[in-house]
Amino acid sequence: MRKNLKKIISMICLLSLCGSLCACAQKESPASTDETAQIPNPMVEITNAEDFNTKLGIPINPEYLVGDVKMYIIGDELAELTYQVENIEGATVECTLRAAKSDTFDSDICGVYDEMTESTEEYSADETITVTHKTPKTEPYQIYEFEYKNNTYCFMYSGDLSAMLFGELIDGVFCAIGAETAP
């Protein structure tokens, strides 16, 4: 019995010694080894609209857009302006205007990846602008894409707009990019 007790005590001491050695030998690891934790956010908020022109070569004047406009440069190649309007019922409608140089940006500028129905419309500005109207099948957006002076633009909104309010918003977009709309 005494031999068994010695063996048990020896095993307990051995296990506690091994545990102590393992704890001492363990090196401190960095807080996060996840590589995604080190990727910077490609969306940078800006406060001066002139940055769109100087950094991207895309002139946009947000004064023609309604409400509190937030401006971003995404990945050093895409301009984004977001703002809200109220429709006739008083509900908030989210609006986004995106722009990129046509010759350097070849992916979908709107960022909505869904099956869509499309139609085209023409608007008179200082030159005729052909606009592609896209309606996603599962997303609650109305998307309008067009090119003007070597830039690709996307205006989209989610919510219900009257024809009159939509007309005012699209006129504001054309004025913001320098394409004066016809009276």
Side-chain angles (χ1 to χ4, degrees), residues 85-88 93 160-170:
V85 297
E86 279 190 17
N87 66 12
I88 198 163
V93 176
D160 295 323
L161 292 179
S162 66
M164 186 170 82
L165 183 54
F166 171 74
E168 290 175 10
L169 290 176
I170 200 73

Side-chain angles (χ1 to χ4, degrees), residues 6 26 64-65 68 92 121 140 154 167 169:
K6 283 184 182 180
Q26 187 177 19
Y64 292 101
L65 305 176
D68 182 30
T92 300
E121 303 167 26
C154 172
L169 290 176

Side-chain angles (χ1 to χ4, degrees), residues 12-34:
I12 291 173
C13 289
L14 183 63
L15 287 174
S16 65
L17 179 63
C18 286
S20 298
L21 288 175
C22 287
C24 291
Q26 187 177 19
K27 294 182 180 180
E28 274 190 46
S29 61
S32 175
T33 58
D34 184 11

Side-chain angles (χ1 to χ4, degrees), residues 13 16 46 57 60 75 77 84 87 92 131 134-135 154 157 164 168:
C13 289
S16 65
I46 62 170
I60 301 176
E77 61 183 5
Q84 299 176 338
N87 66 12
T92 300
V131 177
K134 297 180 175 182
T135 304
C154 172
Y157 66 88
M164 186 170 82
E168 290 175 10

Side-chain angles (χ1 to χ4, degrees), residues 41-110:
N41 185 353
M43 191 169 188
V44 177
E45 187 168 4
I46 62 170
T47 55
N48 185 353
E50 187 58 33
D51 288 347
F52 290 138
N53 199 13
T54 56
K55 294 180 179 181
L56 304 176
I58 303 170
I60 301 176
N61 185 350
E63 292 177 14
Y64 292 101
L65 305 176
V66 180
D68 182 30
V69 179
K70 294 190 179 181
M71 301 178 292
Y72 303 93
I73 293 178
I74 303 171
D76 293 327
E77 61 183 5
L78 183 70
E80 179 177 283
L81 297 91
T82 60
Y83 53 103
Q84 299 176 338
V85 297
E86 279 190 17
N87 66 12
I88 198 163
E89 290 87 25
T92 300
V93 176
E94 302 286 332
C95 300
T96 301
L97 173 62
R98 286 184 164 186
K101 296 301 276 181
S102 297
D103 58 350
T104 60
F105 199 84
D106 59 356
S107 60
D108 190 359
I109 191 171
C110 74

Side-chain angles (χ1 to χ4, degrees), residues 130-145:
T130 302
V131 177
T132 302
H133 176 204
K134 297 180 175 182
T135 304
K137 294 213 184 245
T138 62
E139 298 289 332
Y141 297 107
Q142 296 297 316
I143 300 168
Y144 298 84
E145 292 182 341

